[in-house]
């Protein structure tokens, strides 16, 4: 059974979880989460998921090198996104790097941190569609998630998000 959310209990605060990747829509989700967190006294959690499907099939040294390179790239991305969040709202986000499947890691992080109250995703605007995570929502893969999901249209400008957040 999922843990009860504690974000409104004394000593806790509501946190917005944002998947930190290199897509343009990540910036829209981060912008919304940072603005909303600032306006409500909350926090932001940035999750970067390393997807190293080929690593187990590699020699030990190669797998370690692949993992180290992916971790360095994730940390660099988190540095940029953290600076962006601070510039937007003055909030210093929590940073988490995990390895595995994205949906699995999102579920795990939410289960581990009872203050995470909202998952914020943004829809892609390209010809490829809204993105794989958003597409998986339509298939019901997120039905067991214990928190609401906020979907930010990827085409919204900063000022349009400001009006909503």
């Amino acid at each position: 059974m999922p843990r009860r959310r504690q974000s409104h209990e004394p000593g806790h605060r509501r946190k917005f979880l944002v998947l930190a990747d290199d897509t343009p829509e990540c910036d829209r989700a981060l912008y919304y989460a940072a603005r909303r967190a600032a306006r409500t006294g909350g926090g932001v959690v940035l999750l970067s998921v390393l997807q190293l499907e080929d690593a187990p099939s590699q020699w030990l040294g190669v797998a370690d090198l692949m993992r180290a390179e992916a971790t360095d790239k994730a940390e660099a991305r988190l540095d940029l996104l953290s600076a962006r969040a601070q510039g937007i709202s003055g909030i210093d986000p929590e940073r988490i790097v995990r390895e595995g499947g994205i949906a699995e890691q999102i579920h795990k992080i939410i289960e581990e941190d009872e203050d995470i109250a909202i998952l914020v995703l943004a829809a892609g605007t390209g010809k490829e569609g809204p993105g794989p995570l958003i597409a998986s929502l339509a298939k019901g893969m997120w039905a067991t998630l214990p928190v609401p999901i906020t979907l930010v249209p990827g085409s919204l400008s900063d000022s349009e998000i400001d009006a909503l957040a």
Side-chain angles (χ1 to χ4, degrees), residues 18 35-36 38 45 53-54 66 98 119-120 123 152 163:
V18 176
R35 295 294 291 165
R36 190 78 184 119
V45 177
E53 295 88 14
D54 294 338
M66 289 172 66
R98 293 286 176 94
L119 170 62
V120 181
V152 180

Side-chain angles (χ1 to χ4, degrees), residues 15-19 43-47 93-94 96 109 113 116:
K15 296 178 187 176
F16 296 83
L17 176 61
V18 176
L19 181 64
V44 174
V45 177
L46 294 171
L47 171 63
E94 295 177 39
I96 300 171
I109 292 297
D113 189 340
I116 293 175

Side-chain angles (χ1 to χ4, degrees), residues 44-157:
V44 174
V45 177
L46 294 171
L47 171 63
S48 182
V49 180
L50 308 179
Q51 295 179 287
L52 302 171
E53 295 88 14
D54 294 338
S57 67
Q58 302 295 324
W59 288 81
L60 184 59
V62 175
D64 290 343
L65 182 60
M66 289 172 66
R67 187 169 286 107
E69 288 175 356
T71 300
D72 288 346
K73 184 178 176 184
E75 290 291 349
R77 183 181 318 112
L78 288 172
D79 288 344
L80 291 171
L81 294 172
S82 293
R84 174 92 166 118
Q86 284 194 338
I88 293 166
S89 63
I91 291 175
D92 186 19
E94 295 177 39
R95 302 158 42 125
I96 300 171
V97 177
R98 293 286 176 94
E99 183 179 333
I102 293 172
E104 173 190 355
Q105 294 306 316
I106 288 172
H107 277 273
K108 283 183 178 182
I109 292 297
I110 291 171
E111 180 58 30
E112 292 169 10
D113 189 340
E114 61 206 12
D115 289 346
I116 293 175
I118 297 173
L119 170 62
V120 181
L121 300 172
T125 59
K127 295 177 184 175
E128 311 81 44
L133 283 179
I134 306 297
S136 69
L137 287 172
K139 296 177 185 171
M141 296 177 70
W142 299 86
T144 61
L145 201 64
V147 299
I149 301 169
T150 298
L151 295 177
V152 180
S155 61
L156 293 181
S157 68

